[in-house]
Amino acid sequence: MTDTADTVAADRALKARHRAMWAQGDYPALAADIIAGLGESLVEACGVGPGDRVLDVAAGAGNASIPAALTGADVLATDLTPELLEAGMRLARRRGVRLRWQEADAEALPFDDAAFDTVLSVVGVMFAPHHRRTAGELLRVCRPGGTIGLVNWTPEGFVGRMLAALKPYAPPPPPGARPPPLWGDPEHLRELFGDMVTDVRTERGTVRVDRFATPEEFRDYFKERYGPMISVYRANAGDADRVAALDRDMADLAARHDRGTEPGRLVMEWEYLLFTARRTA
């Protein structure tokens, strides 16, 4: 087997693991409960409107795709995980929204160059392991003068810190993979997109998360629904001490980010970066 064949096989295995990871739990329910407003915010920031050709990359269950379609845009939602797309289809039918859904890898999008007016993603492409390859695909399929719009968790924010806290318990990342929260660093985005974009705008915002009574309730909710956390717990399932330590770390992290003033009510502000830019010619 050649080196190239080895690389292809390793990449396929990696993507299969990612697909399985996001199929675990119930990410569509989590997204609806926690970040429902982020898709609408990004669609508005990108100026999506009737007739626009919109591609939502790593769309999940359509957090941004469905709001984009509600503007009258021609929307294609893509994701590596078909289970998430199926959940999105059901949600779109319930809301009476028409759009297209297609399984696709953010690092190898099966679309022509310059095929879309707007290319966007809400806390999605940040989890593709090879950042430069992914950014190159977003640029390639966006037409000159079109818009690229992203919402990503920041390294300094709660989710960035949560992913960092999970890392010591997780298997080593594959060669070349970079941490997802780097996509929430404006400098990293400038490095990725360079002079291929102009009119760059970045804005930090927060999602208020106040549905949990205690840090332990937050932890248990995510243990049941959030694929990356489920995978880490499963990787440590045979070691009771490590599972107990992971339980403590996740609850302690939430407790440190509690901004609430009422007993029995956990209040957190999760920081994200909203990025928009125009594709240069």
Side-chain angles (χ1 to χ4, degrees):
M1 180 179 278
T2 67
D3 289 343
T4 298
D6 286 340
T7 300
V8 170
D11 190 62
R12 286 177 177 167
L14 172 61
K15 297 305 169 60
R17 291 195 298 273
H18 271 234
R19 188 179 295 111
M21 178 179 72
W22 288 106
Q24 299 173 116
D26 193 349
Y27 183 75
L30 185 153
D33 288 344
I34 307 293
I35 60 168
L38 287 184
E40 294 179 5
S41 297
L42 182 59
V43 167
E44 182 178 355
C46 291
V48 174
D52 289 346
R53 300 167 300 165
V54 176
L55 176 67
D56 187 359
V57 184
N63 185 259
S65 310
I66 292 174
L70 286 168
T71 71
D74 176 13
V75 179
L76 175 57
T78 65
D79 200 278
L80 188 66
T81 303
E83 291 86 349
L84 298 182
L85 297 176
E86 290 164 7
M89 291 178 199
R90 293 192 295 270
L91 178 59
R93 282 196 295 269
R94 288 197 298 270
R95 297 185 64 178
V97 185
R98 297 190 65 179
L99 64 153
R100 293 170 293 142
W101 306 82
Q102 181 175 335
E103 185 177 340
D105 179 357
E107 296 184 355
L109 295 170
F111 310 117
D112 292 338
D113 297 354
F116 299 94
D117 301 305
T118 302
V119 179
L120 48 77
S121 183
V122 173
V123 295
V125 295
M126 63 179 290
F127 290 98
H130 304 107
H131 295 192
R132 193 167 298 281
R133 189 185 306 170
T134 302
E137 284 295 274
L138 301 182
L139 290 165
R140 182 183 64 79
V141 300
C142 185
R143 69 165 175 81
T147 300
I148 294 174
L150 306 171
V151 168
N152 298 311
W153 301 118
T154 67
E156 307 86 1
F158 177 81
V159 177
R161 294 186 184 277
M162 181 180 72
L163 294 172
L166 289 171
K167 186 175 180 180
Y169 297 92
R178 306 189 71 181
L182 282 178
W183 282 84
D185 179 353
E187 289 298 324
H188 185 61
L189 295 182
R190 277 191 278 272
E191 175 192 344
L192 289 178
F193 292 111
D195 61 4
M196 298 301 294
V197 296
T198 187
D199 299 331
V200 173
R201 296 183 61 188
T202 58
E203 177 183 347
R204 292 179 187 267
T206 59
V207 174
R208 182 180 176 88
V209 179
D210 58 3
R211 63 175 286 114
F212 305 110
T214 66
E216 291 75 18
E217 183 183 345
F218 152 78
R219 177 200 64 207
D220 293 344
Y221 177 96
F222 265 64
K223 282 173 64 174
E224 292 178 0
R225 293 167 178 82
Y226 192 56
M229 189 177 290
I230 294 169
S231 291
V232 172
Y233 269 95
R234 288 184 176 176
N236 292 273
D239 189 328
D241 290 340
R242 281 177 67 83
V243 170
L246 181 55
D247 272 345
R248 288 193 298 272
D249 285 353
M250 292 299 102
D252 288 349
L253 180 71
R256 291 197 301 273
H257 284 78
D258 184 12
R259 301 296 180 263
T261 58
E262 301 174 18
R265 189 184 186 200
L266 179 70
V267 178
M268 297 180 282
E269 299 286 345
W270 295 4
E271 186 182 65
Y272 63 86
L273 183 77
L274 191 154
F275 167 94
T276 60
R278 294 283 182 186
R279 172 73 159 89
T280 58

